[in-house]
Amino acid sequence: MSAPDRLAEPLAKVLGSRTAAGLGKLGLETVEDLLRHYPRRYGSPGEMTDIAALRAGEHVTVMAQVRQVQVRSMRSRGGAMLEAVVSDGRDSLQLTFFAKRAGVLRMHESKLRPGLTGLFTGTVGEYRGRRQLTHPDYLMVGVDAADEDEAMLEASRPIPIYPAAASVPTWRIGRSVRAVLDPLADGDVPDPLPAHVRDERGLPTLLEALRLVHVPERDEDWRRGRDRLRFEEALVLQTALARRRAAREALAAVPRPPRDGGLVDALDARLPFPLTGSQRAVGKEIAEALASSTPMMRLLQGDVGAGKTVVALRAMLQVVDSGGQAALLAPTEVLAAQHLRTLEQLLGSLSHGGMLGGVDGATRLALLTGSQGSKARRVALGEAASGAAGIVVGTHALLSEGVQFADLGLVVVDEQHRFGVEQRDALRGRGEHPPHMLVMTATPIPRTVAMTVFGDLETSLLTDKPAHRAAITTHVVPADNDAWLTRAWARVREEVDSGRRVYVVCPRIDAEDEPEADDATAEATVTTEGALALDGPPEQKAPLASVAQTAAMLAERPELAGVRIGVMHGRLSTDQKDAAMAAFAAGDAPVLVSTTVIEVGVDVPDATMMVVLDAERFGISQLHQLRGRVGRSDLESLCLLVSRAEPGSLSHERLAALASTTDGFALAEKDLELRREGDVLGAAQSGGRNSLRLLRVVRDAELIEQTRTVARGLVDADPDLTGSPALAAAIDHWLGDERESFLERG
Ligand code: ADP
Ligand code: MG
């Protein structure tokens, strides 16, 4: 930038250190910070605040008209008091000021003239059944004007109401904004929107837009300004994503076209079931993407049980058919081991390449996990490096440990939401030809969120589920109802007696254990915030159920006499975990008390019942995942959510939503509704200078889509954005340090 950068100037320099200190409490340091501190809403003098809707204890800014004002001395306590009554036309609110002497109150009395409208800020209190604000901060509309005309104009303007702090009321922010905004000229405010983009859409310049939102004369003004600023936010974000995508596509991948009569065809011929319509459709999309030299980066979404594994296997076999290798990464060793078994079963002799009984063109599978024995590991490493293994199954460690492949053509990542930044980077850093990539998740991500958070990924969707799935019935069971619980354990026994399996899920391992600190419980903590407040302090409650205590308790229950009870959690060794899963699957220990380690992907078709203890501790999507462990065959299944949440609390509402549907996408929508926006994009996006201010990923789907097209056009025409320096700067500024975590969150 040529001239001194006015926007980067510290507020202390422009407004003085006292004013700047106050604004600093709101996190506003520079001129740009202040100008980007947009009004939260606008008051209009004609529209009074609904006083009846105010609740005691709330910090409010109220627009109302002064009805009467009176100063009197207080005989009992000494000193003086001013009482004013303001009204919205229906209900009234009292304003109260106290002082040692009546004289001090005259200043307020002279400003609070009956008939004038004002904005009053304070905390709503109650005194003798009347609602009141004590010592409110206030601004009278139109009183600072030079003459009658200006007062009229002033009184008819929308009044910006800023996100404020008790120490910095909204009008002080407004005055500061005008002090920095008024002297600025167009040249001081570089516009991230290229002129032609602005012109095509008739959008104002950045400076104009800032004036429109901060000093509007009419409601249309701030709407026009706000829409332009929202467009800018979406465009900056989408351009960042488009650049990232372009950089990736600049690296050519090796095309892996399908081969007639290869392993994919052989697999299709031996599958014990027909593919569903969407398995076919998605399979075709993926097959075409793999055949191209543009590296595939695709998110495959499908609800639990939708059959993603077969889709992944067919993609992996296509790569093997064309001479390459594929890696399948799972979030846990339990899942990796299970994937290996599943693939072996589906492939049969097709996975016995070079072995007795292997068919022509058969490939081989290898398993690589962090904790396997050194001999097994050496063998697997050799198979990956030589290319003998067409498919290598492992955990994410497989990438960070730099395992060698002869020709890695495709990486499939199961359960993307557990797949971190470093792993994705480790992948991309491999060789000059990046592998194609398929990430699979059963956590339904609404389209707009996928576009925003995973904006550089293409998405495929499995919309239907394999037929003949029996229903899962879900009930919320109050934890303090002994009769229901007794009935529940008796029901567990009935399931076991008819040859079925039952999961019992607890939020922690033992009494010393903090609840498992994984992403999903963190999410649960965020989402239950409101509920905790409603339910009262958590320390009043009994401790959370643990695996150790619950397993001991169940062993004592008369209903379960003679039933072997297994345990499963993250602190067991790999061998212990394998043994526990095997005993459960085989029915030797048909009841498994577990933490959420079984949450993703575990597939035991005979499991028909799940009891989740302290269910209110978990988030909606996590419970949906957990519940996906049952109902995996044509056997009717039951899920009991044992909860201490009060009826009417947010936690209870979430559980009720879960009980009402098994449609993961409907639940994801519900989840969005019940959460605040910030939680959708993660904590990093909900506050601080790099947050989305105006854009709402759920509401602004259309805008996000439009700007995506514009952004791709801009980046195609000018990959380095040399022609749009302000846009490039906005991307750097906006993304700042959180750049990686935002774009790579997962
Ligand atoms: P998820 O999408 O949750 O990973 P899986 O891939 O584990 O689901 O599939 C769940 C179960 O459904 C498995 O037992 C799998 O063999 C079975 N399955 C997959 N596709 C079909 C199909 N088209 N018809 C019937 N069963 C299927
Ligand atoms: Mg799966």
mmCIF file with all atom_site columns, all heavy atoms in Angstrom, residues 385-408:
data_model
loop_
_atom_site.group_PDB
_atom_site.id
_atom_site.type_symbol
_atom_site.label_atom_id
_atom_site.label_alt_id
_atom_site.label_comp_id
_atom_site.label_asym_id
_atom_site.label_entity_id
_atom_site.label_seq_id
_atom_site.pdbx_PDB_ins_code
_atom_site.Cartn_x
_atom_site.Cartn_y
_atom_site.Cartn_z
_atom_site.occupancy
_atom_site.B_iso_or_equiv
_atom_site.pdbx_formal_charge
_atom_site.auth_seq_id
_atom_site.auth_comp_id
_atom_site.auth_asym_id
_atom_site.auth_atom_id
_atom_site.pdbx_PDB_model_num
ATOM 1   N N   . ALA A 1 385 ? 6.199  -51.703 0.680  1.00 0.00 ? 385 ALA A N   1
ATOM 2   C CA  . ALA A 1 385 ? 7.305  -51.118 -0.087 1.00 0.00 ? 385 ALA A CA  1
ATOM 3   C C   . ALA A 1 385 ? 7.501  -51.827 -1.431 1.00 0.00 ? 385 ALA A C   1
ATOM 4   O O   . ALA A 1 385 ? 7.802  -51.187 -2.440 1.00 0.00 ? 385 ALA A O   1
ATOM 5   C CB  . ALA A 1 385 ? 8.586  -51.158 0.730  1.00 0.00 ? 385 ALA A CB  1
ATOM 6   N N   . SER A 1 386 ? 7.279  -53.145 -1.441 1.00 0.00 ? 386 SER A N   1
ATOM 7   C CA  . SER A 1 386 ? 7.505  -53.881 -2.690 1.00 0.00 ? 386 SER A CA  1
ATOM 8   C C   . SER A 1 386 ? 6.329  -53.748 -3.644 1.00 0.00 ? 386 SER A C   1
ATOM 9   O O   . SER A 1 386 ? 6.447  -54.015 -4.829 1.00 0.00 ? 386 SER A O   1
ATOM 10  C CB  . SER A 1 386 ? 7.721  -55.365 -2.377 1.00 0.00 ? 386 SER A CB  1
ATOM 11  O OG  . SER A 1 386 ? 6.492  -55.937 -1.945 1.00 0.00 ? 386 SER A OG  1
ATOM 12  N N   . GLY A 1 387 ? 5.186  -53.361 -3.104 1.00 0.00 ? 387 GLY A N   1
ATOM 13  C CA  . GLY A 1 387 ? 3.997  -53.290 -3.935 1.00 0.00 ? 387 GLY A CA  1
ATOM 14  C C   . GLY A 1 387 ? 3.198  -54.587 -3.928 1.00 0.00 ? 387 GLY A C   1
ATOM 15  O O   . GLY A 1 387 ? 2.140  -54.672 -4.555 1.00 0.00 ? 387 GLY A O   1
ATOM 16  N N   . ALA A 1 388 ? 3.694  -55.601 -3.189 1.00 0.00 ? 388 ALA A N   1
ATOM 17  C CA  . ALA A 1 388 ? 2.960  -56.874 -3.131 1.00 0.00 ? 388 ALA A CA  1
ATOM 18  C C   . ALA A 1 388 ? 1.569  -56.669 -2.537 1.00 0.00 ? 388 ALA A C   1
ATOM 19  O O   . ALA A 1 388 ? 0.593  -57.287 -2.988 1.00 0.00 ? 388 ALA A O   1
ATOM 20  C CB  . ALA A 1 388 ? 3.745  -57.888 -2.292 1.00 0.00 ? 388 ALA A CB  1
ATOM 21  N N   . ALA A 1 389 ? 1.473  -55.800 -1.529 1.00 0.00 ? 389 ALA A N   1
ATOM 22  C CA  . ALA A 1 389 ? 0.162  -55.517 -0.947 1.00 0.00 ? 389 ALA A CA  1
ATOM 23  C C   . ALA A 1 389 ? -0.504 -54.426 -1.760 1.00 0.00 ? 389 ALA A C   1
ATOM 24  O O   . ALA A 1 389 ? 0.012  -53.308 -1.861 1.00 0.00 ? 389 ALA A O   1
ATOM 25  C CB  . ALA A 1 389 ? 0.302  -55.082 0.510  1.00 0.00 ? 389 ALA A CB  1
ATOM 26  N N   . GLY A 1 390 ? -1.635 -54.733 -2.346 1.00 0.00 ? 390 GLY A N   1
ATOM 27  C CA  . GLY A 1 390 ? -2.369 -53.719 -3.105 1.00 0.00 ? 390 GLY A CA  1
ATOM 28  C C   . GLY A 1 390 ? -3.092 -52.772 -2.172 1.00 0.00 ? 390 GLY A C   1
ATOM 29  O O   . GLY A 1 390 ? -3.274 -51.601 -2.472 1.00 0.00 ? 390 GLY A O   1
ATOM 30  N N   . ILE A 1 391 ? -3.520 -53.305 -1.025 1.00 0.00 ? 391 ILE A N   1
ATOM 31  C CA  . ILE A 1 391 ? -4.255 -52.488 -0.065 1.00 0.00 ? 391 ILE A CA  1
ATOM 32  C C   . ILE A 1 391 ? -3.580 -52.606 1.296  1.00 0.00 ? 391 ILE A C   1
ATOM 33  O O   . ILE A 1 391 ? -3.383 -53.718 1.797  1.00 0.00 ? 391 ILE A O   1
ATOM 34  C CB  . ILE A 1 391 ? -5.724 -52.942 0.050  1.00 0.00 ? 391 ILE A CB  1
ATOM 35  C CG1 . ILE A 1 391 ? -6.427 -52.715 -1.303 1.00 0.00 ? 391 ILE A CG1 1
ATOM 36  C CG2 . ILE A 1 391 ? -6.443 -52.188 1.161  1.00 0.00 ? 391 ILE A CG2 1
ATOM 37  C CD1 . ILE A 1 391 ? -7.863 -53.232 -1.334 1.00 0.00 ? 391 ILE A CD1 1
ATOM 38  N N   . VAL A 1 392 ? -3.206 -51.456 1.873  1.00 0.00 ? 392 VAL A N   1
ATOM 39  C CA  . VAL A 1 392 ? -2.603 -51.444 3.200  1.00 0.00 ? 392 VAL A CA  1
ATOM 40  C C   . VAL A 1 392 ? -3.571 -50.761 4.150  1.00 0.00 ? 392 VAL A C   1
ATOM 41  O O   . VAL A 1 392 ? -4.010 -49.642 3.895  1.00 0.00 ? 392 VAL A O   1
ATOM 42  C CB  . VAL A 1 392 ? -1.254 -50.697 3.187  1.00 0.00 ? 392 VAL A CB  1
ATOM 43  C CG1 . VAL A 1 392 ? -0.632 -50.705 4.580  1.00 0.00 ? 392 VAL A CG1 1
ATOM 44  C CG2 . VAL A 1 392 ? -0.306 -51.323 2.172  1.00 0.00 ? 392 VAL A CG2 1
ATOM 45  N N   . VAL A 1 393 ? -3.935 -51.474 5.214  1.00 0.00 ? 393 VAL A N   1
ATOM 46  C CA  . VAL A 1 393 ? -4.879 -50.933 6.185  1.00 0.00 ? 393 VAL A CA  1
ATOM 47  C C   . VAL A 1 393 ? -4.097 -50.520 7.419  1.00 0.00 ? 393 VAL A C   1
ATOM 48  O O   . VAL A 1 393 ? -3.187 -51.242 7.841  1.00 0.00 ? 393 VAL A O   1
ATOM 49  C CB  . VAL A 1 393 ? -5.918 -52.002 6.581  1.00 0.00 ? 393 VAL A CB  1
ATOM 50  C CG1 . VAL A 1 393 ? -6.944 -51.424 7.557  1.00 0.00 ? 393 VAL A CG1 1
ATOM 51  C CG2 . VAL A 1 393 ? -6.615 -52.543 5.334  1.00 0.00 ? 393 VAL A CG2 1
ATOM 52  N N   . GLY A 1 394 ? -4.416 -49.374 7.978  1.00 0.00 ? 394 GLY A N   1
ATOM 53  C CA  . GLY A 1 394 ? -3.699 -48.952 9.178  1.00 0.00 ? 394 GLY A CA  1
ATOM 54  C C   . GLY A 1 394 ? -4.385 -47.802 9.874  1.00 0.00 ? 394 GLY A C   1
ATOM 55  O O   . GLY A 1 394 ? -5.489 -47.405 9.501  1.00 0.00 ? 394 GLY A O   1
ATOM 56  N N   . THR A 1 395 ? -3.720 -47.301 10.905 1.00 0.00 ? 395 THR A N   1
ATOM 57  C CA  . THR A 1 395 ? -4.217 -46.093 11.567 1.00 0.00 ? 395 THR A CA  1
ATOM 58  C C   . THR A 1 395 ? -3.477 -44.911 10.956 1.00 0.00 ? 395 THR A C   1
ATOM 59  O O   . THR A 1 395 ? -2.628 -45.067 10.090 1.00 0.00 ? 395 THR A O   1
ATOM 60  C CB  . THR A 1 395 ? -3.946 -46.123 13.076 1.00 0.00 ? 395 THR A CB  1
ATOM 61  O OG1 . THR A 1 395 ? -2.542 -46.191 13.274 1.00 0.00 ? 395 THR A OG1 1
ATOM 62  C CG2 . THR A 1 395 ? -4.623 -47.306 13.721 1.00 0.00 ? 395 THR A CG2 1
ATOM 63  N N   . HIS A 1 396 ? -3.782 -43.738 11.443 1.00 0.00 ? 396 HIS A N   1
ATOM 64  C CA  . HIS A 1 396 ? -3.144 -42.541 10.896 1.00 0.00 ? 396 HIS A CA  1
ATOM 65  C C   . HIS A 1 396 ? -1.640 -42.566 11.075 1.00 0.00 ? 396 HIS A C   1
ATOM 66  O O   . HIS A 1 396 ? -0.908 -41.928 10.330 1.00 0.00 ? 396 HIS A O   1
ATOM 67  C CB  . HIS A 1 396 ? -3.716 -41.294 11.564 1.00 0.00 ? 396 HIS A CB  1
ATOM 68  C CG  . HIS A 1 396 ? -5.194 -41.180 11.372 1.00 0.00 ? 396 HIS A CG  1
ATOM 69  N ND1 . HIS A 1 396 ? -5.995 -40.483 12.222 1.00 0.00 ? 396 HIS A ND1 1
ATOM 70  C CD2 . HIS A 1 396 ? -5.999 -41.711 10.429 1.00 0.00 ? 396 HIS A CD2 1
ATOM 71  C CE1 . HIS A 1 396 ? -7.240 -40.565 11.810 1.00 0.00 ? 396 HIS A CE1 1
ATOM 72  N NE2 . HIS A 1 396 ? -7.274 -41.307 10.728 1.00 0.00 ? 396 HIS A NE2 1
ATOM 73  N N   . ALA A 1 397 ? -1.184 -43.315 12.076 1.00 0.00 ? 397 ALA A N   1
ATOM 74  C CA  . ALA A 1 397 ? 0.253  -43.389 12.345 1.00 0.00 ? 397 ALA A CA  1
ATOM 75  C C   . ALA A 1 397 ? 0.992  -43.823 11.085 1.00 0.00 ? 397 ALA A C   1
ATOM 76  O O   . ALA A 1 397 ? 2.133  -43.437 10.854 1.00 0.00 ? 397 ALA A O   1
ATOM 77  C CB  . ALA A 1 397 ? 0.513  -44.364 13.478 1.00 0.00 ? 397 ALA A CB  1
ATOM 78  N N   . LEU A 1 398 ? 0.312  -44.591 10.277 1.00 0.00 ? 398 LEU A N   1
ATOM 79  C CA  . LEU A 1 398 ? 0.890  -45.088 9.037  1.00 0.00 ? 398 LEU A CA  1
ATOM 80  C C   . LEU A 1 398 ? 1.516  -43.968 8.192  1.00 0.00 ? 398 LEU A C   1
ATOM 81  O O   . LEU A 1 398 ? 2.526  -44.147 7.544  1.00 0.00 ? 398 LEU A O   1
ATOM 82  C CB  . LEU A 1 398 ? -0.238 -45.766 8.269  1.00 0.00 ? 398 LEU A CB  1
ATOM 83  C CG  . LEU A 1 398 ? 0.036  -46.672 7.098  1.00 0.00 ? 398 LEU A CG  1
ATOM 84  C CD1 . LEU A 1 398 ? -1.114 -47.648 6.990  1.00 0.00 ? 398 LEU A CD1 1
ATOM 85  C CD2 . LEU A 1 398 ? 0.147  -45.902 5.826  1.00 0.00 ? 398 LEU A CD2 1
ATOM 86  N N   . LEU A 1 399 ? 0.899  -42.809 8.231  1.00 0.00 ? 399 LEU A N   1
ATOM 87  C CA  . LEU A 1 399 ? 1.423  -41.706 7.425  1.00 0.00 ? 399 LEU A CA  1
ATOM 88  C C   . LEU A 1 399 ? 2.569  -40.991 8.118  1.00 0.00 ? 399 LEU A C   1
ATOM 89  O O   . LEU A 1 399 ? 3.602  -40.719 7.526  1.00 0.00 ? 399 LEU A O   1
ATOM 90  C CB  . LEU A 1 399 ? 0.311  -40.691 7.157  1.00 0.00 ? 399 LEU A CB  1
ATOM 91  C CG  . LEU A 1 399 ? -0.791 -41.175 6.254  1.00 0.00 ? 399 LEU A CG  1
ATOM 92  C CD1 . LEU A 1 399 ? -1.838 -40.090 6.114  1.00 0.00 ? 399 LEU A CD1 1
ATOM 93  C CD2 . LEU A 1 399 ? -0.225 -41.544 4.902  1.00 0.00 ? 399 LEU A CD2 1
ATOM 94  N N   . SER A 1 400 ? 2.374  -40.698 9.416  1.00 0.00 ? 400 SER A N   1
ATOM 95  C CA  . SER A 1 400 ? 3.401  -39.913 10.092 1.00 0.00 ? 400 SER A CA  1
ATOM 96  C C   . SER A 1 400 ? 4.701  -40.703 10.200 1.00 0.00 ? 400 SER A C   1
ATOM 97  O O   . SER A 1 400 ? 5.772  -40.131 10.310 1.00 0.00 ? 400 SER A O   1
ATOM 98  C CB  . SER A 1 400 ? 2.911  -39.450 11.457 1.00 0.00 ? 400 SER A CB  1
ATOM 99  O OG  . SER A 1 400 ? 2.199  -40.472 12.083 1.00 0.00 ? 400 SER A OG  1
ATOM 100 N N   . GLU A 1 401 ? 4.621  -42.013 10.166 1.00 0.00 ? 401 GLU A N   1
ATOM 101 C CA  . GLU A 1 401 ? 5.843  -42.791 10.290 1.00 0.00 ? 401 GLU A CA  1
ATOM 102 C C   . GLU A 1 401 ? 6.553  -42.998 8.956  1.00 0.00 ? 401 GLU A C   1
ATOM 103 O O   . GLU A 1 401 ? 7.537  -43.728 8.873  1.00 0.00 ? 401 GLU A O   1
ATOM 104 C CB  . GLU A 1 401 ? 5.534  -44.149 10.931 1.00 0.00 ? 401 GLU A CB  1
ATOM 105 C CG  . GLU A 1 401 ? 5.237  -43.992 12.412 1.00 0.00 ? 401 GLU A CG  1
ATOM 106 C CD  . GLU A 1 401 ? 4.608  -45.214 13.021 1.00 0.00 ? 401 GLU A CD  1
ATOM 107 O OE1 . GLU A 1 401 ? 4.551  -46.258 12.330 1.00 0.00 ? 401 GLU A OE1 1
ATOM 108 O OE2 . GLU A 1 401 ? 4.167  -45.126 14.174 1.00 0.00 ? 401 GLU A OE2 1
ATOM 109 N N   . GLY A 1 402 ? 6.025  -42.379 7.927  1.00 0.00 ? 402 GLY A N   1
ATOM 110 C CA  . GLY A 1 402 ? 6.738  -42.400 6.657  1.00 0.00 ? 402 GLY A CA  1
ATOM 111 C C   . GLY A 1 402 ? 6.869  -43.787 6.049  1.00 0.00 ? 402 GLY A C   1
ATOM 112 O O   . GLY A 1 402 ? 7.892  -44.140 5.480  1.00 0.00 ? 402 GLY A O   1
ATOM 113 N N   . VAL A 1 403 ? 5.836  -44.589 6.166  1.00 0.00 ? 403 VAL A N   1
ATOM 114 C CA  . VAL A 1 403 ? 5.839  -45.914 5.552  1.00 0.00 ? 403 VAL A CA  1
ATOM 115 C C   . VAL A 1 403 ? 6.006  -45.776 4.026  1.00 0.00 ? 403 VAL A C   1
ATOM 116 O O   . VAL A 1 403 ? 5.391  -44.902 3.410  1.00 0.00 ? 403 VAL A O   1
ATOM 117 C CB  . VAL A 1 403 ? 4.513  -46.632 5.880  1.00 0.00 ? 403 VAL A CB  1
ATOM 118 C CG1 . VAL A 1 403 ? 4.413  -47.951 5.133  1.00 0.00 ? 403 VAL A CG1 1
ATOM 119 C CG2 . VAL A 1 403 ? 4.384  -46.825 7.380  1.00 0.00 ? 403 VAL A CG2 1
ATOM 120 N N   . GLN A 1 404 ? 6.855  -46.609 3.441  1.00 0.00 ? 404 GLN A N   1
ATOM 121 C CA  . GLN A 1 404 ? 7.109  -46.538 2.000  1.00 0.00 ? 404 GLN A CA  1
ATOM 122 C C   . GLN A 1 404 ? 6.111  -47.370 1.209  1.00 0.00 ? 404 GLN A C   1
ATOM 123 O O   . GLN A 1 404 ? 5.779  -48.488 1.612  1.00 0.00 ? 404 GLN A O   1
ATOM 124 C CB  . GLN A 1 404 ? 8.514  -47.080 1.688  1.00 0.00 ? 404 GLN A CB  1
ATOM 125 C CG  . GLN A 1 404 ? 9.642  -46.238 2.251  1.00 0.00 ? 404 GLN A CG  1
ATOM 126 C CD  . GLN A 1 404 ? 9.641  -44.833 1.656  1.00 0.00 ? 404 GLN A CD  1
ATOM 127 O OE1 . GLN A 1 404 ? 9.557  -44.684 0.441  1.00 0.00 ? 404 GLN A OE1 1
ATOM 128 N NE2 . GLN A 1 404 ? 9.704  -43.824 2.514  1.00 0.00 ? 404 GLN A NE2 1
ATOM 129 N N   . PHE A 1 405 ? 5.653  -46.797 0.108  1.00 0.00 ? 405 PHE A N   1
ATOM 130 C CA  . PHE A 1 405 ? 4.808  -47.555 -0.818 1.00 0.00 ? 405 PHE A CA  1
ATOM 131 C C   . PHE A 1 405 ? 5.519  -47.639 -2.157 1.00 0.00 ? 405 PHE A C   1
ATOM 132 O O   . PHE A 1 405 ? 6.288  -46.735 -2.507 1.00 0.00 ? 405 PHE A O   1
ATOM 133 C CB  . PHE A 1 405 ? 3.470  -46.853 -1.021 1.00 0.00 ? 405 PHE A CB  1
ATOM 134 C CG  . PHE A 1 405 ? 2.554  -46.920 0.164  1.00 0.00 ? 405 PHE A CG  1
ATOM 135 C CD1 . PHE A 1 405 ? 2.664  -45.998 1.189  1.00 0.00 ? 405 PHE A CD1 1
ATOM 136 C CD2 . PHE A 1 405 ? 1.600  -47.925 0.249  1.00 0.00 ? 405 PHE A CD2 1
ATOM 137 C CE1 . PHE A 1 405 ? 1.829  -46.067 2.289  1.00 0.00 ? 405 PHE A CE1 1
ATOM 138 C CE2 . PHE A 1 405 ? 0.758  -47.991 1.354  1.00 0.00 ? 405 PHE A CE2 1
ATOM 139 C CZ  . PHE A 1 405 ? 0.875  -47.069 2.379  1.00 0.00 ? 405 PHE A CZ  1
ATOM 140 N N   . ALA A 1 406 ? 5.261  -48.694 -2.910 1.00 0.00 ? 406 ALA A N   1
ATOM 141 C CA  . ALA A 1 406 ? 5.839  -48.778 -4.250 1.00 0.00 ? 406 ALA A CA  1
ATOM 142 C C   . ALA A 1 406 ? 5.180  -47.732 -5.149 1.00 0.00 ? 406 ALA A C   1
ATOM 143 O O   . ALA A 1 406 ? 5.847  -47.015 -5.888 1.00 0.00 ? 406 ALA A O   1
ATOM 144 C CB  . ALA A 1 406 ? 5.638  -50.179 -4.826 1.00 0.00 ? 406 ALA A CB  1
ATOM 145 N N   . ASP A 1 407 ? 3.840  -47.627 -5.062 1.00 0.00 ? 407 ASP A N   1
ATOM 146 C CA  . ASP A 1 407 ? 3.123  -46.697 -5.931 1.00 0.00 ? 407 ASP A CA  1
ATOM 147 C C   . ASP A 1 407 ? 1.760  -46.395 -5.318 1.00 0.00 ? 407 ASP A C   1
ATOM 148 O O   . ASP A 1 407 ? 0.749  -46.997 -5.686 1.00 0.00 ? 407 ASP A O   1
ATOM 149 C CB  . ASP A 1 407 ? 2.966  -47.325 -7.325 1.00 0.00 ? 407 ASP A CB  1
ATOM 150 C CG  . ASP A 1 407 ? 2.209  -46.402 -8.277 1.00 0.00 ? 407 ASP A CG  1
ATOM 151 O OD1 . ASP A 1 407 ? 2.051  -45.194 -7.961 1.00 0.00 ? 407 ASP A OD1 1
ATOM 152 O OD2 . ASP A 1 407 ? 1.783  -46.893 -9.342 1.00 0.00 ? 407 ASP A OD2 1
ATOM 153 N N   . LEU A 1 408 ? 1.763  -45.451 -4.387 1.00 0.00 ? 408 LEU A N   1
ATOM 154 C CA  . LEU A 1 408 ? 0.521  -45.149 -3.671 1.00 0.00 ? 408 LEU A CA  1
ATOM 155 C C   . LEU A 1 408 ? -0.380 -44.269 -4.539 1.00 0.00 ? 408 LEU A C   1
ATOM 156 O O   . LEU A 1 408 ? -0.043 -43.131 -4.854 1.00 0.00 ? 408 LEU A O   1
ATOM 157 C CB  . LEU A 1 408 ? 0.839  -44.434 -2.345 1.00 0.00 ? 408 LEU A CB  1
ATOM 158 C CG  . LEU A 1 408 ? -0.356 -44.104 -1.450 1.00 0.00 ? 408 LEU A CG  1
ATOM 159 C CD1 . LEU A 1 408 ? -1.099 -45.372 -1.038 1.00 0.00 ? 408 LEU A CD1 1
ATOM 160 C CD2 . LEU A 1 408 ? 0.089  -43.326 -0.214 1.00 0.00 ? 408 LEU A CD2 1
#
